[in-house]
Amino acid sequence: MTSIDDESTQKTQPRTVSIEMAEGSLPGYLWLPDSGHGPGLVLCQEIFGVSEYIRDRAADLADLGYVVLAPEFYHRLPAQSVDETRDDFLQQALALAGEVDWETAVGEGVAALEWLSGQDDVVGNPGLIGFCFGGGLAFAIAAEGDPSTLVSYYGSALPGLLGLADRVRCPQLHHFGESDSYIAADQVAAIEEAVTAGGKTEFHTYPGADHAFDNPHPQFHHATASAAAWSRTVEFLSRTLP
């Protein structure tokens, strides 16, 4: 095993890593807490890629004491990022997400979990956290892998993944806005029924919050919901991935 706490690591900035797989290398970014070690989290990106927002959330988690790995799930695509200064940035992101081979991405996520668990500076079995595209992807990875815990923010693929619910055995936390433009209220209710059946799931909805309410972009952000969901996320992780 390799130690990830080497001289090139800056405690407040990520370092690039490469995870070797049979199908090639999976690139990613790794954040370390000040201690240089801690429980591990694989962070699954939103549809905008490993954006500035995702990097900020990774740094927030590292500040809490977690070793955070954010894989580049768009690395096989001609474009891996979105120009968020353009008016069509959402259309760009939806097009990119639509090009991802889902089964390949799930396999890469499982490999990322296994890689992180094998690092000397990661304590215990890692967990998963995902936002939007990544919220559904993290759920699918949890069904195939063996994470300690799962946090999913408004997982956009979840309506089509409910057949996997009984295969996700770790503690789960799910967040959804009650005014989600992309996931209808009846679908959110169906998700809640499926994921809470095993008894290890916390499920929260937020009045007035649309999809991607944790993203600070003015088009999405709902400050009250974002703060409440993050507080619950921090508390949940402190119990399930201490």
Side-chain angles (χ1 to χ4, degrees):
M1 287 186 290
T2 336
S3 174
I4 52 180
D5 188 11
D6 62 18
E7 293 181 357
S8 66
T9 302
Q10 298 179 40
K11 300 290 177 62
T12 58
Q13 295 293 325
R15 58 170 286 195
T16 57
V17 297
S18 182
I19 299 165
E20 298 306 318
M21 303 173 57
E23 303 82 2
S25 299
L26 170 65
Y29 304 92
L30 192 77
W31 285 257
L32 284 175
D34 287 343
S35 65
H37 63 274
L41 274 171
V42 174
L43 193 164
C44 298
Q45 68 192 49
E46 58 178 359
I47 59 171
F48 304 109
V50 185
S51 60
E52 182 177 353
Y53 154 63
I54 290 296
R55 292 167 182 258
D56 286 344
R57 275 306 188 210
D60 292 338
L61 291 163
D63 287 343
L64 293 171
Y66 297 99
V67 178
V68 185
L69 170 65
E72 280 275 15
F73 289 107
Y74 286 170
H75 74 104
R76 298 177 186 273
L77 306 183
Q80 286 89 45
S81 61
V82 171
D83 183 352
E84 295 186 52
T85 66
R86 286 172 40 178
D87 292 340
D88 67 342
F89 77 104
L90 182 55
Q91 289 74 23
Q92 293 178 58
L94 290 168
L96 271 180
E99 293 177 35
V100 173
D101 182 275
W102 185 259
E103 295 304 320
T104 298
V106 171
E108 290 179 333
V110 172
L113 260 182
E114 293 173 349
W115 181 89
L116 192 59
S117 70
Q119 303 308 302
D120 290 342
D121 300 310
V122 173
V123 179
N125 191 33
L128 288 160
I129 183 170
F131 298 82
C132 182
F133 167 83
L137 182 60
F139 185 82
I141 294 166
E144 298 294 331
D146 183 30
S148 289
T149 191
L150 166 67
V151 179
S152 175
Y153 276 72
Y154 31 79
S156 51
L158 275 168
L161 299 174
L162 300 186
L164 301 177
D166 61 351
R167 294 167 55 186
V168 180
R169 298 183 175 88
C170 63
Q172 303 172 58
L173 172 62
H174 292 265
H175 303 291
F176 285 92
E178 292 183 7
S179 299
D180 196 306
S181 301
Y182 297 93
I183 307 173
D186 60 338
Q187 291 181 314
V188 173
I191 294 167
E192 181 175 10
E193 181 179 3
V195 302
T196 57
K200 292 183 179 179
T201 302
E202 296 181 25
F203 197 98
H204 297 282
T205 59
Y206 300 87
D210 202 337
H211 195 76
F213 63 76
D214 190 58
N215 188 309
H217 192 284
Q219 183 169 329
F220 310 118
H221 193 59
H222 191 290
T224 302
S226 175
W230 189 250
S231 177
R232 285 169 169 156
T233 294
V234 171
E235 192 276 332
F236 178 80
L237 288 174
S238 75
R239 286 186 284 109
T240 61
L241 195 67

